[in-house]
Amino acid sequence: MQKLPPINCAELMEAVPILELLEADKYSCESLGEALNRQLTLSSTAGSDLRGREPNQWWLVKSELFALICTRAYAHSELSHTLQNNQNLSTCELLSLLSHEIANRAEVNVDSITPLVATALYQIGKEGPEAWCSSQTR
């Protein structure tokens, strides 16, 4: 399991204000991720011809984070080494690093994926990485 720097949920909410919905018990992390994904899908497919092939960026974010945190898939990657050697990263630095990595791998806009990464990190911060890993199905 990849060791992450500590995740400060208050810092995440400050950086990505939509996460306040989680604290207000308006959404679960899963339902907020799905709602954000629907919004991204609507805005990205407006005027396009995807014919029902909607990208599920929420699933993509969770899959990439699962591979990074819960498996050894990233074991020898530059990202893994960066995380291992920088356990003092702030939560916002961690959010930026992971958002850029996932956006680059998925060839999507980092601004669109960052709220999804923040939602997943919030859940990981609340549950702990081991509990989050065991709660994810692939």
Side-chain angles (χ1 to χ4, degrees):
M1 180 172 290
Q2 174 71 53
K3 185 171 184 195
L4 293 176
I7 297 171
N8 180 326
C9 291
E11 189 178 333
L12 273 175
M13 283 193 307
E14 199 171 300
V16 183
I18 198 162
L19 295 180
E20 291 176 5
L21 293 171
L22 297 171
E23 287 290 310
D25 291 329
K26 302 253 185 223
Y27 288 90
S28 67
C29 288
E30 194 61 35
S31 61
L32 180 59
E34 290 169 1
L36 289 169
N37 185 71
R38 280 191 302 277
Q39 185 61 41
L40 286 171
T41 301
L42 289 174
S43 63
S44 68
T45 58
S48 72
D49 185 25
L50 287 179
R51 289 190 172 89
R53 293 176 289 142
E54 298 173 352
N56 189 328
Q57 293 181 0
W58 176 233
W59 181 85
L60 170 80
V61 165
K62 291 192 309 176
S63 294
E64 288 292 327
L65 289 175
F66 184 88
L68 171 66
I69 299 166
C70 310
T71 73
R72 298 195 41 79
Y74 278 85
H76 301 290
S77 72
E78 185 176 330
L79 176 60
S80 180
H81 291 289
T82 299
L83 291 172
Q84 289 289 355
N85 297 325
N86 293 289
Q87 286 293 305
N88 60 342
L89 287 174
S90 73
T91 299
C92 285
E93 291 169 327
L94 178 63
L95 173 62
S96 178
L97 179 69
L98 294 174
S99 295
H100 280 88
E101 176 72 18
I102 293 170
N104 284 339
R105 289 176 61 94
E107 298 178 349
V108 297
N109 183 303
V110 70
D111 293 335
S112 69
I113 208 113
T114 297
L116 295 168
V117 176
T119 302
L121 282 178
Y122 181 93
Q123 188 175 20
I124 293 165
K126 287 290 187 179
E127 295 178 7
E130 287 183 21
W132 183 82
C133 287
S134 65
S135 72
Q136 298 303 301
T137 57
R138 293 194 32 96

